[in-house]
Amino acid sequence: MKKLKWLSSMGFEQEYHYDKPLGAFCGPDGSAIKLWAPTAESVFLHLYPTGNGSKALETVSMEKGKRGVWSYRTTRNLDGWYYDFDVTVDGVTRTTADPYAKACGINGQRSMVIDLSRTDPKGWAEDKSPAQCPEQVIYELHIKDFSWDSHGGFDAKDRGKFSALCRSGVTLDGDGKHPTGLDYMKRLGVTHIQLMPVYDYGSVDEENWESGYNWGYDPVNYNVPEGSYSSDPARGEVRIRELKEMIQSLHANGFRVIMDVVYNHTYVTDSWLERTVPGYYYRQKSDGSLSNGSGCGNDVASERSMCRKYILESALYWVEEYHMDGFRFDLMGLADQELMESLQRALDEKYGEGEKLVYGEPWRADDTHLTRPVALCDKDSLKYISGKIGAFCDDTRDAVKGSLMDLDAKGFVNGGGMETWKLKNCLAGWAGEHGKFQTPYQTITYLSCHDDWTLWDKLVATLDPKKNFTGCGKQILRANRLAAAINFCCQGRPFFLAGEEFGRTKTGIKNSYCSASQINQLDWQRAWKNQELVDYYRGLIALRKQLPGFQDKTKDAAKRILWVKEIAPDCAMACVDNGGADSKWEKILMVFNCSNSVCNGVLPGGNWQILADGEDSFRWQKANAAREKVVVPAYSAMILGEK
């Protein structure tokens, strides 16, 4: 216990904090490998010709220097060599890969010395993020889900791989008529692709990747791409080059790329971090047992200086080397505020304000145990941290479709009633006086993500007595369109799970993190079977990009919501000031009918054009005018603009 307290103390950090780079470096003038292991009695470096199986060609004793850094230097260029360490602490020797490695062998068990310049695809130096759009619309995507469906039209070699996102012209069953893949996403109109974890994770065997599946929230090597998504996981340089090619392709096709990061816990506590400096990188309870606020067995101690440095350098590395455009933090409520604000500040200083997005889940699975008083980046802190750090808004999610804690719980669109005060807060992004966000800049407004039930499955569970998840019932479709209309009329940044737009189902499975690929894959046949629902999302996205009243991210955004009132039971009307330099409509009027009967509404004076109704979200492209009254069918929305 005394040692654990010493490791987490300020005194330990004052003595051993190290500011310079760590890891492996190589070039024509030689190579160096540096490992921070201040409590080690000895460190031996092993050099191998391959990433697994082979015996060490060399074993050398590393030299201990100042601040607990062990070093090895040679005049040879070790590019392409693999390595690991034997680290001895308190008489116990542990074999470990390098926590700071930028490349690794198959399944990440050995690190690799790499000259990163040889992993750059042609034209990489000229790769740039596309220009910012009037609005950011974020689409959450899993690499394997995207292309695993045999009907998707992808070549066999691309299915489940980074390379699938480099292919244009892919169509449903190769029919040449119904685009899938990249062309489908471009047609949809989203602007940002949020990639579920693409760093090296532990739960899928890279040698037998076809039969394995996981979301990837189990980090092994934080600074290395996942090998199962590459064409050859045994060659450390291949996964790096192919991830870069994928990002280059997404940028060229008009998408910015956000990386989902999991710095709050590791796959196992017996990680490379733990084997290198036992007891330092994880939070402990007063009795020495591990804190488990993540629900995954351990909590990374982001408040400790070398741990914070590790996370900051890792995130900045992904931006610099891989051209990432932002980060989504898993269980951000476990991260300390200083870490998050330091990252946002560093990104703004280097790339410009607002160029790189930072947001996350403002919660944790359970209490975490801190060894020093620090403020965490949870929902209660959003009013006090940098207003540039965003967070998911579960209040809108639960108001629209019902709590995710209970499958039977209902929201606005599935029979739970519609309170006008709650609707107004949703429209304001729960910002300012309306909630815990400072401004809508912070608000990620959404209805579904990879966690929990899909929107479709939640609606089926609450509206269909037969629980027909794979069907396409008319009532479920109406409720889905209504939910989407509300979500895209809320201030903040709209976000949705890939496939939500075509009624994605996981057959009622709530937590599909390790379910079969067939459960998780994007069903491209369903995407075209439900083309009308897809088109409804397309129209809402295109309309959203034209409405300054919804895009406003300032502290005064809520003032644009002029009024919200009930016009019939479970039917509300709201009016938004849409004034702006490029505004086509002075005001926007919304009617949300969450009841099971038709709602008749009287319009305020003005020349109102129907922009979208419950069936067609492209009405704004057609010449039409609404009269003094509107008729809104059950489970439907209507959006109007005043010319």
Side-chain angles (χ1 to χ4, degrees):
M1 283 301 298
K2 288 184 178 179
K3 185 170 184 180
L4 287 176
K5 289 182 178 178
W6 165 237
L7 287 171
S8 63
S9 69
M10 298 297 291
F12 177 82
E13 293 180 351
Q14 289 170 1
E15 185 171 350
Y16 290 112
H17 184 85
Y18 184 75
D19 280 326
K20 296 180 181 179
L22 294 161
F25 312 90
C26 67
D29 297 330
S31 304
I33 299 175
K34 298 164 66 177
L35 179 71
W36 186 71
T39 60
E41 295 140 21
S42 66
V43 178
F44 284 87
L45 169 69
H46 306 292
L47 296 170
Y48 305 89
T50 63
N52 69 328
S54 58
K55 294 183 179 180
L57 296 179
E58 293 182 42
T59 295
V60 295
S61 176
M62 298 183 74
E63 179 182 349
K64 187 174 185 179
K66 294 180 180 180
R67 297 192 170 273
V69 176
W70 297 76
S71 301
Y72 168 71
R73 292 178 176 82
T74 177
T75 56
R76 295 175 294 168
N77 186 344
L78 296 179
D79 179 33
W81 287 59
Y82 294 84
Y83 67 100
D84 61 19
F85 308 103
D86 280 344
V87 179
T88 301
V89 179
D90 294 335
V92 178
T93 300
R94 300 172 178 86
T95 299
T96 178
D98 186 354
Y100 295 87
K102 303 296 194 299
C104 69
I106 198 162
N107 285 322
Q109 297 303 297
R110 288 177 184 168
S111 304
M112 180 185 181
V113 185
I114 187 76
D115 176 358
L116 288 165
S117 65
R118 70 182 176 93
T119 68
D120 292 347
K122 184 179 179 181
W124 184 243
E126 290 73 48
D127 175 68
K128 291 183 179 180
S129 305
Q132 291 277 22
C133 294
E135 181 64 290
Q136 296 86 45
V137 182
I138 304 169
Y139 193 64
E140 184 185 37
L141 193 69
H142 183 278
I143 297 296
K144 191 172 184 180
D145 293 356
F146 179 72
S147 57
W148 191 246
D149 180 13
S150 60
H151 296 287
F154 300 94
D155 288 346
K157 64 182 177 59
D158 294 326
R159 289 179 60 206
K161 302 294 184 179
F162 292 133
S163 57
L165 283 145
C166 299
R167 309 288 182 249
S168 296
V170 182
T171 58
L172 185 69
D173 287 319
D175 66 6
K177 298 178 181 179
H178 301 92
T180 63
L182 269 178
D183 295 338
Y184 171 89
M185 293 195 302
K186 289 172 69 174
R187 181 174 180 270
L188 186 59
V190 296
T191 64
H192 288 59
I193 306 300
Q194 179 188 297
L195 298 172
M196 290 173 67
V198 294
Y199 55 69
D200 182 55
Y201 58 84
S203 53
V204 170
D205 181 357
E206 294 176 355
E207 292 186 279
N208 301 287
W209 66 273
E210 290 191 12
S211 59
Y213 183 86
N214 205 280
W215 286 342
Y217 293 91
D218 44 4
V220 174
N221 290 290
Y222 277 108
N223 299 316
V224 184
E226 166 59 19
S228 68
Y229 299 148
S230 73
S231 63
D232 189 351
R235 294 172 56 202
E237 73 279 7
V238 172
R239 61 179 76 191
I240 298 174
R241 183 180 65 253
E242 291 181 350
L243 176 55
K244 288 180 177 179
E245 288 173 344
M246 187 197 77
I247 294 167
Q248 186 179 37
S249 169
L250 288 170
H251 282 166
N253 281 279
F255 303 109
R256 290 194 168 210
V257 185
I258 294 170
M259 181 180 182
D260 197 335
V261 289
V262 188
Y263 291 118
N264 65 82
H265 71 275
T266 56
Y267 178 39
V268 292
T269 305
D270 186 26
S271 63
W272 312 143
L273 294 168
E274 175 67 11
R275 293 186 188 188
T276 303
V277 192
Y280 178 74
Y281 287 98
Y282 298 101
R283 293 171 182 158
Q284 300 90 13
K285 300 178 184 177
S286 57
D287 62 2
S289 62
L290 287 169
S291 175
N292 189 23
S294 68
C296 299
N298 57 74
D299 298 341
V300 170
S302 65
E303 68 277 10
R304 299 177 189 174
S305 70
M306 284 300 287
C307 188
R308 180 181 291 137
K309 174 180 183 284
Y310 179 84
I311 296 171
L312 278 172
E313 289 181 348
S314 174
L316 292 170
Y317 168 73
W318 284 104
V319 177
E320 181 176 354
E321 187 64 34
Y322 290 90
H323 304 178
M324 292 292 182
D325 298 299
F327 299 98
R328 176 265 190 196
F329 272 71
D330 181 68
L331 295 183
M332 187 174 67
L334 286 170
D336 68 281
Q337 290 183 28
E338 184 177 339
L339 165 68
M340 298 304 300
E341 291 183 322
S342 295
L343 173 60
Q344 183 67 70
R345 188 163 52 247
L347 292 170
D348 284 349
E349 288 174 356
K350 186 166 185 177
Y351 299 100
E353 286 195 25
E355 276 299 301
K356 306 297 180 183
L357 297 181
V358 176
Y359 59 90
E361 296 176 300
W363 45 73
R364 47 190 172 267
D366 204 346
D367 291 336
T368 190
H369 295 261
L370 301 165
T371 51
R372 65 184 67 163
V374 295
L376 296 176
C377 205
D378 56 18
K379 194 171 179 180
D380 290 333
S381 73
L382 293 174
K383 285 280 192 181
Y384 311 105
I385 63 173
S386 166
K388 300 172 185 176
I389 297 170
F392 286 91
C393 182
D394 54 345
D395 292 307
T396 294
R397 178 199 70 194
D398 291 351
V400 173
K401 68 174 186 178
S403 171
L404 287 179
M405 299 298 106
D406 179 2
L407 180 59
D408 297 321
K410 299 180 179 182
F412 294 161
V413 304
N414 47 357
M418 171 169 272
E419 306 103 319
T420 54
W421 69 267
K422 188 178 287 186
L423 174 62
K424 185 174 183 179
N425 287 353
C426 291
L427 296 177
W430 295 86
E433 63 178 318
H434 299 276
K436 294 192 174 182
F437 296 89
Q438 297 173 43
T439 70
Y441 189 94
Q442 288 183 302
T443 310
I444 305 296
T445 181
Y446 77 115
L447 302 176
S448 69
C449 65
H450 67 275
D451 279 325
D452 303 299
W453 296 287
T454 66
L455 172 60
W456 183 266
D457 286 353
K458 176 72 169 174
L459 295 176
V460 170
T462 50
L463 292 173
D464 182 4
K466 295 182 179 180
K467 304 291 190 290
N468 182 10
F469 293 106
T470 57
C472 298
K474 291 183 179 179
Q475 185 181 13
I476 311 300
L477 285 167
R478 286 199 301 269
N480 195 317
R481 287 194 292 265
L482 175 57
I486 296 173
N487 194 51
F488 279 98
C489 287
C490 294
Q491 293 173 341
R493 287 189 173 86
F495 167 107
F496 61 108
L497 172 68
E500 179 190 303
E501 75 281 3
F502 58 71
R504 183 175 181 177
T505 177
K506 298 181 183 179
T507 64
I509 296 173
K510 182 179 184 183
N511 198 3
S512 67
Y513 72 97
C514 62
S515 297
S517 298
Q518 288 70 25
I519 295 293
N520 287 285
Q521 69 187 12
L522 293 186
D523 183 344
W524 289 108
Q525 287 183 315
R526 188 174 177 86
W528 281 100
K529 181 179 181 181
N530 284 347
Q531 181 181 351
E532 290 183 359
L533 182 58
V534 176
D535 286 343
Y536 197 77
Y537 274 76
R538 286 179 55 232
L540 290 174
I541 292 168
L543 178 60
R544 170 86 180 206
K545 293 176 182 178
Q546 304 175 68
L547 302 179
F550 298 159
Q551 298 167 19
D552 194 342
K553 304 290 189 291
T554 69
K555 62 181 178 61
D556 294 323
K559 295 178 181 178
R560 287 180 174 269
I561 302 170
L562 303 177
W563 47 263
V564 178
K565 62 184 179 181
E566 185 178 71
I567 58 174
D570 293 333
C571 184
M573 182 182 288
C575 188
V576 171
D577 175 6
N578 194 53
D582 300 320
S583 176
K584 297 179 181 179
W585 303 282
E586 187 66 26
K587 294 177 183 176
I588 300 297
L589 199 65
M590 299 159 284
V591 184
F592 302 116
N593 183 8
C594 297
S595 73
N596 58 5
S597 59
V598 173
C599 176
N600 295 289
V602 177
L603 295 174
N607 181 17
W608 295 97
Q609 175 188 0
I610 298 177
L611 309 181
D613 59 23
E615 299 292 330
D616 184 358
S617 58
F618 281 101
R619 292 284 297 273
W620 50 273
Q621 290 183 335
K622 305 158 189 174
N624 66 81
R627 299 185 180 180
E628 296 178 355
K629 297 181 179 180
V630 290
V631 178
V632 184
Y635 298 109
S636 294
M638 183 172 287
I639 304 171
L640 305 101
E642 183 184 36
K643 283 196 162 186

